[in-house]
Amino acid sequence: MKKWLSIVTLALLSLVLAACGSDAGANSDGENTDEITIGYFPNINHVAGMVAEKQDLYSETLPDGTKVNYQYFPDGSSFMTAVETGDIQGGLVGPGPAMNHFTSGAKINVVAAGSTGGTVIMAREGAGISSPEDLAGKTFISPRVGCTHDVQFETMMHEEYGMTSDRIGGEMKHVTGKPATYASLFEAGNVDVATVPEPWASSIEEQGKGKVLVDTPDVAYGETLPAAVFVTSQELVENNPDMVESIVEAHKKATNFINENPEEAKQIAIDKIKEITDQELSKGVIDQAWERIDFTYEIEEKHLQEFANSSYELEFLKEKPDLTGLVDKSFLK
């Protein structure tokens, strides 16, 4: 996989290739444009990535001959690192990692939304939990510390039930792990509660390993916060806006396809998640997960800022965040 290297590095590389007689494609800024990589996660909130890959939509909007690669991620931190290093040129990630990295100085832009909703709080069967008020002394799991689902859960628990995690001296023990493993962790009794992205909440339900403790509408920012956002680097936006426009156009096509062809999109999701995770989800799981999610590329900056403020209040961020400059909606017009 080729990286999108910095201008200086690519200028040097272009000289080397020219000396070798290479005919590799490059734009006027000296950046290779013949191969890109798009990233996403095996979650239902990321179906637009799966549809775009299956339908080869990026090849339709990018310049002829551009090779498109895909890379799959288990968590937002590794995704954001890949954007910052140029290993991927864009893709879908939760808003939490995007905001955390932006406020830490990462030169990134959110150029579209991917979906809203889809976070569910699940309780292990047999854990003796019937309401969030029972969570003192219990262990909860999220994909990463400070990830989107973690902030949603901890915000709800702090604001409505007066509980926090042991990370800031609270009553609940926090561990992390991949959502695809939560059902087995419930079965083993290793965790009591999980803040879960779909389709893994519906999968846990179907397996009888856990029950819904708080459904999507009642989780903090459950229906307003983008569950996934499309991110690229500011360097790419500044140096090759035509490329970003082509990428966003393919993402919009994928989102429209999902809304116009939900049954076909569901089967694409089932097949792709099996390919990535080796877990085949039933049609019933996908149907239920679908009900908790809206697929849209439109994005409201104020929802991201409110969510970032909560992340700061919970001490995931060291300084009060100012997300000015994070969102660039110009490519959606």
Side-chain angles (χ1 to χ4, degrees):
M1 178 188 71
K2 294 180 179 179
K3 296 179 178 180
W4 284 49
L5 305 174
S6 68
I7 295 175
V8 173
T9 303
L10 278 169
L12 294 172
L13 180 58
S14 297
L15 291 173
V16 172
L17 293 174
C20 296
S22 170
D23 59 357
N27 64 17
S28 59
D29 296 312
E31 292 189 343
N32 282 341
T33 57
D34 59 352
E35 187 169 358
I36 69 167
T37 299
I38 301 294
Y40 65 84
F41 300 15
N43 296 336
I44 293 297
N45 289 323
H46 295 232
V47 172
M50 304 176 199
V51 167
E53 180 177 3
K54 175 65 176 179
Q55 303 288 345
D56 202 18
L57 297 179
Y58 290 105
S59 294
E60 291 183 6
T61 60
L62 290 163
D64 290 344
T66 304
K67 182 180 180 181
V68 183
N69 305 305
Y70 295 90
Q71 188 171 343
Y72 316 120
F73 292 86
D75 61 77
S77 181
S78 56
F79 175 98
M80 293 308 308
T81 298
V83 171
E84 292 176 64
T85 59
D87 285 336
I88 65 174
Q89 280 62 63
L92 290 162
V93 67
M99 291 184 291
N100 292 344
H101 280 249
F102 179 79
T103 55
S104 297
K107 303 298 184 183
I108 61 162
N109 278 134
V110 171
V111 292
S115 58
T116 59
T119 294
V120 184
I121 311 305
M122 304 292 297
R124 175 173 60 83
E125 288 290 351
I129 298 170
S130 58
S131 82
E133 295 171 332
D134 298 326
L135 296 189
K138 301 294 186 182
T139 299
F140 77 92
I141 189 168
S142 69
R144 291 293 291 258
V145 174
C147 72
T148 306
H149 316 289
D150 184 11
V151 174
Q152 286 186 268
F153 171 69
E154 293 202 43
T155 297
M156 178 195 73
M157 291 303 298
H158 182 232
E159 293 183 352
E160 298 188 25
Y161 302 99
M163 290 187 218
T164 58
S165 73
D166 56 355
R167 176 182 54 83
I168 50 177
E171 305 87 345
M172 303 179 296
K173 181 180 179 181
H174 185 196
V175 297
T176 62
K178 296 178 182 179
T181 67
Y182 290 178
S184 61
L185 293 174
F186 271 4
E187 184 175 26
N190 293 333
V191 297
D192 304 304
V193 175
T195 175
V196 193
E198 287 287 16
W200 307 113
S202 294
S203 178
I204 291 170
E205 279 187 278
E206 185 183 68
Q207 296 178 55
K209 306 291 176 56
K211 61 184 180 182
V212 176
L213 186 64
V214 183
D215 213 335
T216 296
D218 296 318
V219 179
Y221 307 109
E223 293 184 311
T224 58
L225 181 73
V229 292
F230 200 102
V231 170
T232 189
S233 69
Q234 291 180 4
E235 181 180 3
L236 190 62
V237 169
E238 294 169 1
N239 294 334
N240 202 336
D242 290 343
M243 181 64 69
V244 176
E245 185 173 354
S246 296
I247 291 173
V248 173
E249 185 61 26
H251 175 62
K252 291 169 64 178
K253 285 188 173 187
T255 306
N256 290 336
F257 179 92
I258 293 168
N259 290 317
E260 294 167 4
N261 308 276
E263 295 307 311
E264 190 172 348
K266 289 176 184 177
Q267 189 58 52
I268 290 172
I270 291 171
D271 295 342
K272 197 64 194 179
I273 289 172
K274 180 182 179 184
E275 177 187 325
I276 298 172
T277 68
D278 201 31
Q279 293 191 44
E280 184 168 8
L281 300 174
S282 71
K283 179 65 162 46
V285 165
I286 298 300
D287 284 340
Q288 185 160 322
W290 221 261
E291 294 299 316
R292 292 177 169 134
I293 297 172
D294 287 324
F295 294 97
T296 178
Y297 48 77
E298 300 291 350
I299 188 165
E300 292 292 339
E301 296 170 76
K302 67 177 182 180
H303 297 316
L304 292 177
Q305 184 62 60
E306 291 169 356
F307 180 79
N309 293 343
S310 290
S311 190
Y312 167 71
E313 291 164 3
L314 288 166
E315 301 182 25
F316 290 114
L317 299 176
K318 294 180 180 179
E319 298 181 1
K320 193 168 185 178
D322 179 359
L323 300 185
T324 302
L326 171 62
V327 177
D328 184 345
K329 298 195 287 187
S330 63
F331 299 101
L332 292 173
K333 297 177 180 176

